[in-house]
Amino acid sequence: MKYKFLFIAILIFQIINIQAQNSIESKTIDSKVLNEKREIKVLLPKDYSKENKYPVVYITDANYNFEIASNYLTQLIKFNSIPKSILVGIPQKNRGNELDIFWSENGINFKNFIFNEVIPFINSKYETSDFNAIIGHSDGAEYNHLLMMEKDSPFRGFINVSENLYNDVSSNISTYFKNYKKDKLYYFIANAEYDTQDRIDAGKKIEELFINSKNEKIKFLKKTYNADHQNVLSKSLLDGILFVFQDYRNNLNYQNFKDFVDNYHNNINESYGFKPELNENDIDYFFGKILDDKDVKMYEFLINYTSDKGIFYSNTLDRANQYFYMEEYLKTVEFWNKTVNEFKDISPRVFYFNFTKAIDAYLQLNNPKGAIEFLEKCKNRLPEHKLSFNYFIAKTALENKVRTRIGKKYLKYCEENFIENRYFKKEDLIKLKEK
């Protein structure tokens, strides 16, 4: 039992810690539309700054859905899976009247409250990017697609959990899908396997309408979860948020690193209304792909670009190894010699663990004498590894029948001074003696 209480304590601490790291504010709007004062919740990302622009995610039923949305959003932002965004919670007083799926006076009034008062209030108080998404569950999901079809709708992202067409506006949605021509729109539906059949069918119907529309301006996804009507929100919300922000750091959208550099900033600005800063993590995918493709030209473009922008610095040893991986042996030996000559920001341990790549590159270039000269410089640079360097001088000389006198001399040195090391054993010296 004590372990159960410990687990609960840890969980509470984590939630409190998340809230402490972020600024959650309660704001009052004196609504002329609703003729009363209404409270909304606002979660700002950590390190919120007036110098930046932020997408905004709204969620209805904030009385009980705000906490889970804030936890998901916080963690995704923390690991840079989505852009830093503002979360706005809109609580309901009379849910049936306000999230009015039949679009009577109450529903339209609440829509006007959101469109004409909540969103302008957020835009006036915070630095927003003009990209707005909205999360709705159950009637909130059905209310969302009514908001979507309004001509002045400010939303381009919809996370609709447990949709319905109780008010069957299928033909309206079909027309909307076919005629939509504005900026890219993101529409996510979550179905629950153990929900009522009408909700399951509604999700399938809306998916069918989208497929028939063939509208490339709309990104659409319906997913079904092993869940019931209540817990489908917790199981699907992570996927929904990631779907809405799918173009953020999506490197698969770009043919190569240059395409990424030329277009990513503008594409994100068009999709989400801000220009992101690049960091080392943003280009890891391209870096690995460039090396695997042995694309030397693109590699050098990446190195020059990231160096000029101060994103990261590759030392000469890193570059020597990277050229070796791409089988660019002339460049490999060029940068190994820069490394041993300059030895700037170089770890002696890393150097010692990798220098044999330089020997391999010289031999690929049919230049064993160059390898021997390189190894002599290594010996001067790291005299504590003289034994290993002398071994490779002897090995290179005797196996390639160049400078054999030096080779025999260093072979004798290795025999007389042998100690256990990472590169050779006594048996290797015996084999070399036979050359």
Side-chain angles (χ1 to χ4, degrees):
M1 181 63 72
K2 68 179 181 180
Y3 296 112
K4 179 179 179 182
F5 286 124
L6 177 62
F7 171 77
I8 293 171
I10 292 171
L11 183 61
I12 292 171
F13 172 78
Q14 288 175 336
I15 292 172
I16 293 172
N17 190 45
I18 286 172
Q19 293 174 344
Q21 291 177 10
N22 297 275
S23 177
I24 300 176
E25 302 175 354
S26 180
K27 297 292 184 181
T28 301
I29 297 178
D30 191 0
S31 173
K32 292 181 174 56
V33 173
L34 302 179
N35 197 29
E36 62 179 353
K37 292 183 178 181
R38 297 297 291 264
E39 297 290 326
I40 61 170
K41 297 180 179 180
V42 181
L43 173 73
L44 298 178
K46 185 181 179 182
D47 301 326
Y48 169 84
S49 168
K50 291 184 177 182
E51 302 301 315
N52 300 320
K53 298 290 185 182
Y54 300 89
V56 185
V57 178
Y58 293 83
I59 184 167
T60 50
D61 291 324
N63 319 53
Y64 46 87
N65 286 342
F66 186 81
E67 183 178 334
I68 187 171
S70 66
N71 289 338
Y72 276 134
L73 220 69
T74 297
Q75 291 303 315
L76 290 171
I77 291 170
K78 178 180 178 181
F79 292 99
N80 204 16
S81 297
I82 65 171
K84 291 182 179 180
S85 305
I86 299 170
L87 176 67
V88 177
I90 307 173
Q92 272 63 64
K93 282 190 174 180
N94 186 327
R95 188 173 188 274
N97 285 338
E98 292 172 355
L99 301 181
D100 172 25
I101 60 175
F102 293 103
W103 219 231
S104 60
E105 183 179 355
N106 288 329
I108 293 172
N109 276 348
F110 199 70
K111 180 266 295 185
N112 289 335
F113 169 62
I114 295 173
F115 283 17
N116 301 331
E117 294 184 326
V118 176
I119 292 177
F121 176 84
I122 295 298
N123 289 342
S124 69
K125 296 292 183 182
Y126 305 101
E127 298 301 322
T128 60
S129 72
D130 294 330
F131 176 85
N132 300 310
I134 187 166
I135 302 166
H137 174 234
S138 191
D139 284 359
E142 190 168 359
Y143 190 75
N144 273 2
H145 65 233
L146 299 176
L147 296 180
M148 177 184 72
M149 291 186 290
E150 288 293 290
K151 288 183 179 180
D152 59 343
S153 176
F155 296 107
R156 286 198 293 114
F158 297 88
I159 301 172
N160 295 354
V161 180
S162 189
E163 272 271 25
N164 209 338
L165 286 167
Y166 195 60
N167 175 12
D168 192 351
V169 290
S170 300
S171 61
N172 305 70
I173 293 175
S174 176
T175 300
Y176 178 85
F177 281 163
K178 289 177 181 177
N179 295 337
Y180 183 81
K181 297 178 181 178
K182 298 178 183 178
D183 293 333
K184 191 184 298 182
L185 183 143
Y186 304 84
Y187 192 152
F188 177 85
I189 290 178
N191 269 10
E193 287 184 357
Y194 304 111
D195 212 335
T196 57
Q197 192 61 47
D198 56 338
R199 293 186 181 279
I200 294 171
D201 291 342
K204 292 179 180 177
K205 178 65 176 179
I206 295 172
E207 180 182 41
E208 180 185 330
L209 296 175
F210 167 73
I211 292 171
N212 291 337
S213 76
K214 299 178 181 179
N215 191 336
E216 295 182 358
K217 283 282 188 177
I218 301 173
K219 298 279 190 178
F220 181 94
L221 177 65
K222 178 186 73 66
K223 291 188 71 173
T224 300
Y225 295 84
N226 180 17
D228 56 39
H229 183 70
Q230 294 303 325
N231 68 14
V232 66
L233 179 74
S234 64
K235 291 190 173 185
S236 65
L237 189 53
L238 179 68
D239 290 338
I241 296 170
L242 288 172
F243 180 81
V244 165
F245 290 111
Q246 64 181 273
D247 289 316
Y248 179 72
R249 298 189 65 197
N250 186 354
N251 297 327
L252 294 176
N253 286 344
Y254 304 92
Q255 293 181 357
N256 53 46
F257 182 70
K258 189 173 188 309
D259 183 27
F260 173 79
V261 166
D262 290 344
N263 297 295
Y264 179 68
H265 279 79
N266 288 335
N267 289 346
I268 294 301
N269 193 39
E270 289 175 6
S271 294
Y272 303 117
F274 73 99
K275 291 190 175 183
E277 292 183 1
L278 295 183
N279 58 48
E280 188 171 348
N281 292 329
D282 291 318
I283 61 175
D284 276 350
Y285 164 81
F286 292 103
F287 195 77
K289 189 174 187 303
I290 286 168
L291 294 182
D292 288 343
D293 292 343
K294 298 178 171 53
D295 189 343
V296 176
K297 184 177 180 180
M298 192 59 64
Y299 166 80
E300 291 176 345
F301 174 81
L302 182 148
I303 291 296
N304 291 333
Y305 180 87
T306 54
S307 178
D308 290 345
K309 300 294 183 181
I311 298 172
F312 71 84
Y313 165 74
S314 287
N315 63 38
T316 54
L317 192 152
D318 291 335
R319 294 195 64 181
N321 284 338
Q322 288 152 8
Y323 278 120
F324 181 79
Y325 188 86
M326 293 185 289
E327 300 177 2
E328 187 70 13
Y329 300 119
L330 278 172
K331 286 288 188 179
T332 300
V333 299
E334 175 189 340
F335 276 88
W336 267 111
N337 277 285
K338 284 185 177 181
T339 299
V340 75
N341 290 336
E342 301 168 7
F343 224 75
K344 181 182 178 182
D345 301 323
I346 302 301
S347 161
R349 179 182 176 87
V350 174
F351 183 99
Y352 178 65
F353 282 7
N354 284 274
F355 76 91
T356 57
K357 295 183 179 71
I359 303 170
D360 292 340
Y362 271 111
L363 296 180
Q364 287 287 340
L365 295 169
N366 196 27
N367 185 9
K369 290 182 179 179
I372 292 170
E373 291 172 4
F374 169 78
L375 287 164
E376 292 285 7
K377 288 192 286 187
C378 292
K379 192 163 53 173
N380 291 331
R381 177 63 69 181
L382 297 175
E384 65 270 27
H385 296 300
K386 179 179 179 180
L387 178 67
S388 295
F389 296 136
N390 277 350
Y391 168 74
F392 280 105
I393 292 173
K395 179 178 170 65
T396 303
L398 297 175
E399 287 183 346
N400 293 277
K401 295 181 171 51
V402 297
R403 299 191 177 178
T404 54
R405 186 174 61 83
I406 292 176
K408 290 176 181 178
K409 174 184 173 183
Y410 287 154
L411 177 58
K412 184 178 179 181
Y413 174 90
C414 292
E415 290 175 324
E416 293 174 350
N417 296 275
F418 179 81
I419 58 173
E420 293 293 329
N421 66 89
R422 73 178 276 111
Y423 284 117
F424 69 95
K425 300 177 180 179
K426 284 186 176 180
E427 291 84 351
D428 297 312
L429 299 178
I430 293 170
K431 290 178 183 178
L432 263 187
K433 208 166 186 178
E434 297 170 355
K435 296 292 182 181

